[in-house]
Amino acid sequence: MGNTDYLEQALDIALTAGTMIKSRISDGSLIFQKSSAYDLVTEVDQAAEHLIRNHLYEKFPTHRVLGEEGGVSCEQPLDIQSEPYLWVVDPIDGTNNFINGLPGYTVSIALIRYGVIQLGVVYDPTIQEMFWAVLGKGAFLNGRRIQVSPVQSLDDSIIGTGFPSNIASDRPHMLNQVQNIRDCCRNIRIYGSAALQLAYVASGRLNATWDLSLQLWDIAAGALIVQESGGVVSEVDGRDFHLSTRNILASNKELHSLLVKKLNHSDG
């Protein structure tokens, strides 16, 4: 099978999971605390990941799956660079939005082969928007090719970010960065889903986005979608993007170096 065949399966699985999640938005699902009172998971997150895993195992029984709620799919140590087929899954990116009946939660699925992201899918079930990309094939929204914004000035830019769950260190860090750009951009938006904000950069709705302390399942799919739409993805400090990246910056090529300089100016 080629990447296009794997994409078709990923699109179908994301749609199935997203439809189930949307149907459960008002059913009083149980909520659990994870690493902190601000980092939550629901039984719907768990059910959605279970659904995605089952579909992937049915189609690809020899592949491995790394998910936010269930970890890696077997007990063997995970070496991402050596994995021939590793699916990376975030069943609900934006759980706090989902819990409160807000839009802006997504299903995110990526396929990695030997350390290289091959495809990414981000599905917003609220408004039925499916973003996807295949390595070397471009990025798309509901079948229409998308590109990053051509904006060249920070003054004309709307920039996304996230509000980290770690209140002791990450939130002050993020707020310092907001201070650094508050007077040189048109506005700042927080949608509550890193995957969605990356997809919005890819489609030109946002001109850039940055986020702190993310995990691979938050960004794998969205990062490829940005790159395939002509955008740039890096560490917030400007270093190259890797699968170990946790502090991410995405924008078009014109804005990227400007944002690296502004976000890291006198930070801390």
Side-chain angles (χ1 to χ4, degrees), residues 8-218:
E8 291 303 316
Q9 297 297 330
L11 292 171
D12 182 63
I13 292 169
L15 179 61
T16 301
T19 301
M20 183 276 285
I21 292 165
K22 186 177 180 181
S23 73
R24 299 282 302 275
I25 196 166
S26 61
D27 69 354
S29 302
L30 293 177
I31 300 170
F32 309 96
Q33 182 175 310
K34 291 167 66 176
S35 61
S36 74
Y38 306 95
D39 189 10
L40 304 176
V41 62
T42 72
E43 60 178 343
V44 180
D45 292 79
Q46 297 168 341
E49 183 163 319
H50 184 70
L51 182 155
I52 293 169
R53 284 176 180 270
N54 282 349
H55 277 266
L56 289 172
Y57 293 149
E58 179 183 349
K59 297 293 183 181
F60 314 114
T62 64
H63 293 193
R64 296 183 75 183
V65 180
L66 174 65
E68 179 176 13
E69 309 311 334
V72 71
S73 54
C74 71
E75 297 301 321
Q76 296 178 358
L78 177 65
D79 179 3
I80 294 176
Q81 301 296 326
S82 301
E83 291 293 334
Y85 294 99
L86 177 66
W87 294 91
V88 180
V89 173
D90 193 343
I92 305 180
D93 186 42
T95 295
N96 278 292
N97 287 344
F98 171 78
I99 289 170
N100 290 283
L102 296 170
Y105 58 91
T106 58
V107 179
S108 178
I109 302 174
L111 175 62
I112 297 174
R113 295 202 67 197
Y114 299 110
V116 178
I117 305 171
Q118 302 294 313
L119 66 88
V121 171
V122 174
Y123 180 53
D124 179 351
T126 303
I127 54 176
Q128 298 179 322
E129 287 194 332
M130 186 79 77
F131 301 84
W132 76 85
V134 172
L135 183 64
K137 303 294 186 181
F140 298 84
L141 165 57
N142 290 350
R144 176 180 58 85
R145 190 153 192 160
I146 53 176
Q147 291 185 314
V148 291
S149 162
V151 166
Q152 299 184 30
S153 168
L154 288 178
D155 291 340
D156 297 324
S157 299
I158 298 178
I159 301 173
T161 190
F163 210 60
S165 59
N166 185 327
I167 64 173
S169 60
D170 291 336
R171 286 190 183 181
H173 190 181
M174 170 262 188
L175 290 171
N176 284 335
Q177 292 173 326
V178 170
Q179 293 282 357
N180 289 343
I181 66 167
R182 66 176 186 175
D183 296 327
C184 64
C185 66
R186 180 178 294 171
N187 218 316
I188 297 172
R189 292 285 183 267
I190 298 177
Y191 289 98
S193 165
L196 185 64
Q197 292 181 181
L198 288 167
Y200 280 1
V201 171
S203 59
R205 295 173 179 174
L206 289 174
N207 306 112
T209 189
W210 89 95
D211 247 304
L212 305 181
S213 295
L214 299 178
Q215 299 296 326
L216 181 58
W217 46 75
D218 297 312

Side-chain angles (χ1 to χ4, degrees), residues 205-253:
R205 295 173 179 174
L206 289 174
N207 306 112
T209 189
W210 89 95
D211 247 304
L212 305 181
S213 295
L214 299 178
Q215 299 296 326
L216 181 58
W217 46 75
D218 297 312
I219 59 178
L224 181 66
I225 295 170
V226 170
Q227 291 168 333
E228 287 294 323
S229 68
V232 181
V233 181
S234 76
E235 300 265 2
V236 172
D237 64 10
R239 289 177 295 164
D240 290 345
F241 172 77
H242 297 284
L243 297 181
S244 59
T245 294
R246 297 296 174 258
N247 303 326
I248 192 171
L249 169 65
S251 70
N252 65 18
K253 295 176 181 178

